[in-house]
Amino acid sequence: IASVLAYLFLSEKLSKAKIFSLIAGVAGLALILQPSAGGSAEGNLAGLATGFSYAFFVLASRRLSGKLHPVVTTFWMLILGGLGLLAFSQPQKLLSLTPSGGIMLAALSILIIGAFLLFNSAIRSLSVSTASIILLVEPLAATAAASAFYGEKYGPLALAGYALIGLGVLSALKE
C-alpha cells in the first residue's frame, strides 16, 4: 500500500525488484487471508486496517524525515498514536498491573521506542517502498513468536503466504 502511495504522491520509482517484492507480498497476504488459512474475518479486517495505517505512518515519516530529528518524529508519532489507541483501550487495567506486569510493560515500551527511533533514523535514507517492504518482517516475526511461545498453528496456505512475504522482503533487500 505504501509503495503504491509513494509512487503516486512522492514520485518514487518502482524498480523491477520492488515490483516483484510487492507482487510477492500481496500474493502472500492473499494466501494468509484465505478463510481456510485460519483466522477470523474481524482479524483479517483489522490486519488490512493496520496495513493502511502503516502506509500513512511510513509516508508521514518519510515526509518529516528531512524536517525533523528522528527523536522528535518518534516522540510525536508515539503521542499521537497513543491518543488514537485510547479509544480502544481499557485504562483501568493499567491500574491492576502486577509489579512483574509493570516491568514487562516498561521493557516492551523501551523496545518499541527503540524500534521506532531506528526506523525514523533509517527512513531518512530509504525510499518509502523499501522501508514498507522491510516492515513486512514484523508480521513474520510475530507469527514465529506466536508459534514458538503460544503454540499457534498455521495451515499450509498461511505458511505459503508467509514464505512469499519473506521472499518479497529478501528481494527488496537485495536492491
Side-chain angles (χ1 to χ4, degrees):
I1 298 168
S3 298
V4 173
L5 293 176
Y7 174 77
L8 295 173
F9 296 111
L10 300 178
S11 301
E12 281 194 9
K13 304 286 185 221
L14 288 176
S15 66
K16 289 178 184 179
K18 286 181 185 171
I19 291 170
F20 173 79
S21 295
L22 286 170
I23 291 169
V26 169
L29 183 62
L31 287 175
I32 292 166
L33 293 178
Q34 292 295 316
S36 60
S40 65
E42 296 86 8
N44 290 343
L45 287 174
L48 288 173
T50 300
F52 280 100
S53 67
Y54 256 16
F56 174 76
F57 159 69
V58 174
L59 288 169
S61 295
R62 179 68 173 137
R63 177 132 344 222
L64 294 173
S65 69
K67 299 174 184 166
L68 299 174
H69 191 276
V71 171
V72 175
T73 304
T74 302
F75 173 81
W76 284 110
M77 179 195 63
L78 291 175
I79 293 293
L80 294 173
L83 289 173
L85 287 174
L86 278 177
F88 303 101
S89 70
Q90 298 174 352
Q92 69 276 13
K93 288 196 175 186
L94 283 176
L95 298 175
S96 63
L97 274 179
T98 63
S100 63
I103 291 169
M104 181 65 80
L105 181 62
L108 286 172
S109 297
I110 290 167
L111 288 172
I112 289 168
I113 291 168
F116 281 114
L117 277 171
L118 288 172
F119 176 82
N120 285 322
S121 297
I123 194 71
R124 292 176 149 203
S125 60
L126 293 175
S127 68
V128 168
S129 54
T130 300
S132 65
I133 292 167
I134 291 171
L135 280 175
L136 290 173
V137 168
E138 184 179 343
L140 296 177
T143 301
S147 182
F149 297 115
Y150 297 108
E152 292 233 0
K153 304 280 188 247
Y154 300 96
L157 279 179
L159 293 174
Y162 289 120
L164 277 171
I165 290 172
L167 183 63
V169 169
L170 290 175
S171 176
L173 289 175
K174 286 186 174 184
E175 189 176 55

